[in-house]
Amino acid sequence: MSDKAILEVNGEKHEFPLITGTENEVAIDVKALRGSTKGVITLDPGYKNTGSCESAITFLDGEKGILRYRGYSIEELAEKADFLEVAYLLIFGELPNQEQLDKFHADIKSHSIVDDDVKKILDAFPKAAHPMGVLSSLTSALTAFNPSSVNVDSEEDMYNAIVRILGKFPVLVAWTMRKKHGLPLEYGDDSLGYVENVLKMMFKSPNKDYEQNDILVNALDKLLILHADHEQNCSTSTVRITGSSHAGLFVSLSAGISALWGPLHGGANQAVLEMLEAIKEDGGDTKKYMAKAKDKSDPFRLMGFGHRVYKNFDPRAKIIKVAADEVLGDLGVEDPILDIAKGLEKEALEDPYFVDRKLYPNVDFYSGIIYRAMGIPVEMFTVMFALGRLPGWIAQWKEMRMRKEPIGRPRQLYTGETLRPFTSIENR
Ligand code: ACO
């Protein structure tokens, strides 16, 4: 294959290098485009064809349904690793040995106290506030309570910032839920594993001993692993671009949380459940909603279907579908919502509208069903996604800063008014 691409603009030929990644993906390096063409840019709203960076963290092939973190398949990681090992792998590039993992966990635990004054900020939110807004605000507020800036050239500084946020974030996650439910705020239990501790902080009742449920721990561990990174999606790109101005780690993460909130991204898991509930309330007629999804004059979309990059199947959805059946079976949950979900899935997989557009169930089609069976309230679903995505965001932020990437600043094609004289107010 040639190692260059040739572009002809106004009869003049320009050559651009082709860059090949380790999985033989090819990119045209257009860094010199504006200079050599005297001002011509590429236009790609939604970045469907645009690579924003080189990255060695996550590989995915949407056509083949492949997802790998640092070269390890998601299937193997979901089966054999735990969430903290995966977090370490994503952030530092290699699986930890036992000693490294123990130290990592101990360091995270030593940073898991959130300044008590953060509770005052939390108190000021109305109970009706969406937990994602609260989580984004509190994550940003942590900057004020831990003001030391990160010297990205110091491994120690970087490490400290990472364990600090990994320690404090689950506390904030639990607090957003407890606040909404009027429960006293917990600080967690140092004797527990990372995921066990999250569940205890969320669910411990003030007047009862907490009993750990291994089914829930394993299910949450798997869900968090499946959500831990997904290369340059909307929230991750937001984290990278925010950090590219040299804004700190915590505020970059806060920006990512806001981006994740939207129903076309992380908010989809909440939207799926709300959609399934609405179908149930409306008599459970899945065909009616299939027709609505296909009707171009109707804004309704089948939430949990389709993906920007997976155009055959979402490998995470395959793993999670099996997990959903297991968890519901183990917990003895009979959920009519699951029957509606299965009905929709079957119809969509056979329907030419969905088949032609390669619209398959994505990870969030099933994750909400598991969260619901675990007793996690619907408005917390996207917060759980954020908890899972945290190591991925951290890894991507760290990579971006360590590679000394330039500030993210896209161009535009201006289509507004050309120069016109000012009209004074009495003449308008
Ligand atoms: N229901 C009905 N039709 C759909 C759906 C859907 N869920 N998704 C896409 N389509 C149709 C579009 O109307 C469009 O049809 P057209 O070609 O006739 O105009 C075609 O499929 C392509 O859709 P786009 O929106 O161009 O695809 P894009 O790659 O931009 O969007 C997205 C991907 C945002 C995920 C979309 O499929 C969607 O809105 N899905 C529902 C929301 C959802 O589940 N989001 C979670 C994503 S996974 C995650 O963030 C973890």
Side-chain angles (χ1 to χ4, degrees), residues 147-154 157-159 161 248-250 397 401:
S148 63
S149 64
V150 183
N151 171 8
V152 296
D153 295 321
S154 151
D157 256 33
M158 189 72 104
Y159 182 82
L249 175 61
F250 299 171
W397 186 92
R401 289 302 311 271

Side-chain angles (χ1 to χ4, degrees), residues 131-167:
M132 281 298 274
V134 179
L135 184 67
S136 169
S137 305
L138 295 186
T139 306
S140 181
L142 281 183
T143 314
F145 292 91
N146 304 272
S148 63
S149 64
V150 183
N151 171 8
V152 296
D153 295 321
S154 151
E155 250 178 63
E156 196 189 338
D157 256 33
M158 189 72 104
Y159 182 82
N160 284 338
I162 290 166
V163 289
R164 201 171 275 155
I165 192 66
L166 283 167

